[in-house]
Amino acid sequence: MKIITQKDEGYSKRLLQIQNSPEKLYVEGNERLLNQDAIAIVGTRNCTKYGEKCASKFARELSKKGICIVSGLARGIDSIAHINSMDEKGKTIAVLGSGFHHIYPKENQYLYQKIIENGGCIVTEYPPETPVDKAKFPKRNRIISGLAMGVLVIEARYRSGTSITAKHAISQHKEVFCIPHLLDNPTGYIPNLLIQQGAQLVTSGSDILQYYNEDEKYQNQEVPQEYQEIYNLIGQLPISTNNISKILNIEIAKVTEILFMLELDGFIKQLPGNVYIRNYK
C-alpha cells in the first residue's frame, strides 16, 4: 500500500481540480493510472441484460483504445466494467468507500486481487481499517468522477448512487455520457433524464473518443511500443520532462529524446514551460 498526498507528484492532477478533493489517497497497484486518460463507467447494482451488454461493450471498446476504466467495485455495472476492461488487456481503477481491510461486497475480494494482478489500481481516501459504511458511498462517488475525463452512465434508477456520481461530474465540469433506454424500464430513468437535460447520447466507445477528438488519431496511427511507457503518462494535464523522469526512473536525456519523437509524430505537443500534453487532433 502507498499513501499519496496532494503535495506528491503522483497525486491525480484531475482530483486537484475538484472541490473537496481528498487530502490523501491510499493506493494499491499501479498508481501511474491516477494520471492516465480515463472514463468512469457507472450504473446500478441490479442491472438488466441490456445494461450488462452495454457496460461490457463500452469497457472493451474504450480499453482497446488505451483508455483506463474507473468504477466503484460494486456489484452489477461496476464489476462488469472492471472485468471487461481487463479482458481487453486494458487498465482499470476501482475506488472504494471503505478501507482495504474491508472490501465491499465481500464476493469482490477476488476481483480486487485480479485488478492488482493485471496492472490496475485500487484507491480509497480511507485508512485500511475503516469499516464499510454505506453512508460513505455517495462521498466516494466524487472521486470516481474526479479521476475521469468524463462519466458514462449505463443504468440508474431514480435517486440512485449513480445519479449522485453524475451530479458530481456535472459540478466538476466533466462531460456526462448516457446510452438511451426504453421509457418503461426503471433502470433507464436516470440515463434518459440526463440525456433530456443535455448529457451526450452515445451508442459506442467511438462516440466518446470523438468527443475528445481522440478516435481518428488512434485509428490512423499507433504509438511505437518503445514509446508507450512515456506516452501513457501524458494526458490532458501538462507534465514536465523532469516529472516524467522521476516517475518512470528514466534518465532525462532519454526522456527528452522520446518526447521529441512523440512530438515529431504528432502524438503530443509541447506547451510553454517545457511541459507536454497529448495532441488531441
Side-chain angles (χ1 to χ4, degrees):
M1 183 190 75
K2 186 173 183 179
I3 300 176
I4 302 177
T5 71
Q6 291 185 355
K7 296 180 180 180
D8 295 327
E9 177 60 33
Y11 191 91
S12 168
K13 305 301 185 298
R14 291 193 185 91
L15 282 183
L16 286 175
Q17 295 176 352
I18 71 170
Q19 289 186 347
N20 196 25
S21 57
E23 293 183 2
K24 63 178 69 172
L25 295 172
Y26 297 84
V27 181
E28 289 197 353
N30 183 5
E31 68 268 18
R32 295 176 189 170
L33 296 179
L34 298 177
N35 285 294
Q36 184 170 322
D37 285 352
I39 293 293
I41 298 181
V42 295
T44 181
R45 290 170 172 81
N46 300 312
C47 59
T48 65
K49 289 294 184 181
Y50 173 72
E52 181 177 344
K53 181 179 178 179
C54 288
S56 173
K57 166 185 166 67
F58 277 87
R60 287 175 176 271
E61 290 176 351
L62 292 170
S63 293
K64 283 180 180 179
K65 299 298 186 178
I67 302 296
C68 181
I69 303 301
V70 184
S71 202
L73 202 72
R75 298 182 183 96
I77 297 300
D78 289 21
S79 295
I80 293 165
H82 290 308
I83 291 168
N84 282 276
S85 66
M86 291 186 290
D87 284 348
E88 290 297 335
K89 301 187 184 304
K91 304 303 181 185
T92 187
I93 299 173
V95 184
L96 307 182
S98 57
F100 290 136
H101 295 171
H102 298 275
I103 302 303
Y104 180 84
K106 289 184 179 180
E107 65 262 30
N108 273 358
Q109 180 70 49
Y110 169 76
L111 180 55
Y112 169 96
Q113 294 296 337
K114 186 178 179 182
I115 288 173
I116 295 175
E117 291 170 4
N118 283 272
C121 181
I122 312 291
V123 180
T124 179
E125 62 180 319
Y126 301 109
E129 295 297 339
T130 305
V132 175
D133 180 357
K134 292 185 180 180
K136 290 186 171 67
F137 290 174
K139 185 180 179 184
R140 175 274 307 267
N141 292 350
R142 83 193 192 285
I143 300 177
I144 293 177
S145 58
L147 287 169
M149 299 184 295
V151 174
L152 171 61
V153 177
I154 300 292
E155 289 185 322
R157 297 173 183 267
Y158 180 63
R159 290 185 176 178
S160 63
T162 300
S163 64
I164 294 174
T165 307
K167 289 179 181 178
H168 282 308
I170 293 169
S171 69
Q172 294 165 0
H173 307 290
K174 306 290 181 73
E175 194 61 39
V176 176
F177 305 93
C178 298
I179 58 173
H181 281 66
L182 293 173
L183 297 179
D184 59 355
N185 189 332
T187 62
Y189 178 85
I190 291 299
N192 287 337
L193 177 64
L194 289 169
I195 291 171
Q196 187 179 43
Q197 294 175 344
Q200 296 287 327
L201 188 157
V202 293
T203 59
S204 70
S206 290
D207 292 340
I208 295 175
L209 292 172
Q210 286 172 4
Y211 178 84
Y212 296 105
N213 295 319
E214 291 190 349
D215 198 33
E216 182 179 352
K217 179 188 70 178
Y218 278 117
Q219 288 178 352
N220 292 339
Q221 191 177 16
E222 291 187 3
V223 176
Q225 186 63 38
E226 62 268 29
Y227 302 159
Q228 283 282 354
E229 187 176 29
I230 288 179
Y231 177 73
N232 288 339
L233 200 61
I234 301 171
Q236 285 185 316
L237 301 174
I239 187 169
S240 69
T241 305
N242 287 338
N243 286 337
I244 294 173
S245 174
K246 290 178 182 178
I247 293 171
L248 298 180
N249 195 27
I250 300 176
E251 293 182 359
I252 289 181
K254 184 64 176 179
V255 172
T256 302
E257 176 187 342
I258 294 176
L259 289 174
F260 174 77
M261 295 304 298
L262 287 170
E263 186 177 14
L264 190 65
D265 290 338
F267 291 112
I268 64 173
K269 59 183 177 182
Q270 185 177 14
L271 300 179
N274 195 30
V275 295
Y276 294 84
I277 62 172
R278 288 200 186 185
N279 186 20
Y280 299 122
K281 298 178 181 179

